[in-house]
Amino acid sequence: LSATAVPPVPGALTASEVVARVGASGVASIIGFGSLLSEQSAQSTCPSASRFRLGRVRGWRRVFGHPAHIFFARGIARPDTREIASLCAEPSEDAASGFVVAAFDVPASELPALLEREEEFNFVEVSIYPLGGGASSPPESTGIMCTRATDEEVLDRRGHRAKYEAALSPHFGSVTVWGWGADSGLRPCPVYCRHCVLASQKPGVPKEAADSFLDETLLADRRTTLRQYLQADGGHVMHTLPPPELKARYNG
């Protein structure tokens, strides 16, 4: 594996920097773009979540483009077929591109624990636009969204190199979290991907959000949409069930 150099996302903050900016009182608006598109899933993850709403972000793309260590730790990664990818949002060269997201508020006191578990990410504050709004519609609010960090930040400053080496080196020879390029052949972790698709199709989730997840989510090649991938995979992803002990965690 030859890692591709990727620049830091402009304006991105670490978890501790976000917490310091928000302060100890009040609430913080969190943006979800995978399994958290479902209010039910959001409240399962964050029981104190309130003011759940949907909107769009602009100038970003949603990509299955990096490996998540948690997939290896839970035994659902498939490194032999490179099905190890999780979701992230990254800046898009096309300012008009974007995707549907969910936003919800959490007490600032719960923000540190919520963000610290997103170990491989940095965070950005982005504008949230109304669903169905035109290109000139103003944003309704802002929220905190996961975006890529850098290998130096995740592996070295945060001290995660040893566990990523243990997970990745036996299969790929070298270790990178954020250096998987468009030609890497990286594919979605099927149990996690199925989980997100099911969440986006739960009762109460608008069709616009469900369609956005299929049509405005890209594979690591930044060309293939998730809908195209699922249509071509013969039902592989949607028939890959989680292990029994993880059924409640990865079932939409």
Side-chain angles (χ1 to χ4, degrees):
L1 172 65
S2 178
T4 299
V6 291
V9 175
L13 303 172
T14 64
S16 60
E17 288 170 334
V18 172
V19 170
R21 176 175 292 191
V22 172
S25 61
V27 298
S29 291
I30 302 297
I31 289 176
F33 49 77
S35 63
L36 300 184
L37 285 169
S38 159
E39 183 171 6
Q40 178 182 337
S41 297
Q43 290 183 329
S44 174
T45 300
C46 308
S48 299
S50 62
R51 214 164 67 86
F52 185 91
R53 66 266 189 206
L54 296 176
R56 289 189 65 87
V57 295
R58 296 177 183 168
W60 294 85
R61 60 189 175 198
R62 178 171 44 200
V63 181
F64 278 103
H66 76 282
H69 181 268
I70 193 68
F71 298 161
F72 289 86
R74 290 176 171 167
I76 60 173
R78 294 190 171 186
D80 54 325
T81 52
R82 302 203 170 196
E83 293 174 285
I84 61 175
S86 186
L87 280 172
C88 184
E90 63 182 26
S92 172
E93 300 83 359
D94 180 3
S97 67
F99 50 89
V100 174
V101 300
F104 53 90
D105 294 346
V106 298
S109 60
E110 297 182 11
L111 190 59
L114 179 63
L115 298 187
E116 289 292 350
R117 73 183 189 183
E118 306 289 356
E119 66 181 20
E120 73 266 32
F121 295 104
N122 278 343
F123 306 90
V124 283
E125 185 173 18
V126 298
S127 296
I128 304 170
Y129 296 85
L131 290 185
S136 60
S137 61
E140 292 182 318
S141 60
T142 63
I144 298 165
M145 183 170 72
C146 292
T147 189
R148 69 170 183 259
T150 64
D151 281 353
E152 180 183 14
E153 173 69 34
V154 175
L155 300 177
D156 298 323
R157 293 188 192 132
R158 298 180 191 172
H160 297 314
R161 180 172 292 279
K163 71 179 186 181
Y164 273 94
E165 283 183 345
L168 297 174
S169 291
H171 308 284
F172 307 108
S174 60
V175 177
T176 180
V177 180
W178 294 110
W180 297 77
D183 60 350
S184 65
L186 201 65
R187 298 162 61 194
C189 171
V191 166
Y192 173 71
C193 182
R194 172 183 176 272
H195 169 57
C196 292
V197 172
L198 291 177
S200 74
Q201 297 175 349
K202 278 186 176 293
V205 178
K207 185 175 185 298
E208 182 176 353
D211 285 344
S212 171
F213 191 73
L214 294 175
D215 297 324
E216 296 177 323
T217 300
L218 300 175
L219 267 61
D221 63 8
R222 275 70 172 177
R223 296 188 307 273
T224 305
T225 68
L226 181 58
R227 187 187 296 275
Q228 291 169 335
Y229 178 66
L230 295 178
Q231 287 175 338
D233 82 345
H236 163 64
V237 166
M238 298 309 294
H239 290 142
T240 302
L241 302 180
E245 67 273 16
L246 295 174
K247 183 176 180 180
R249 174 65 183 83
Y250 290 107
N251 209 31

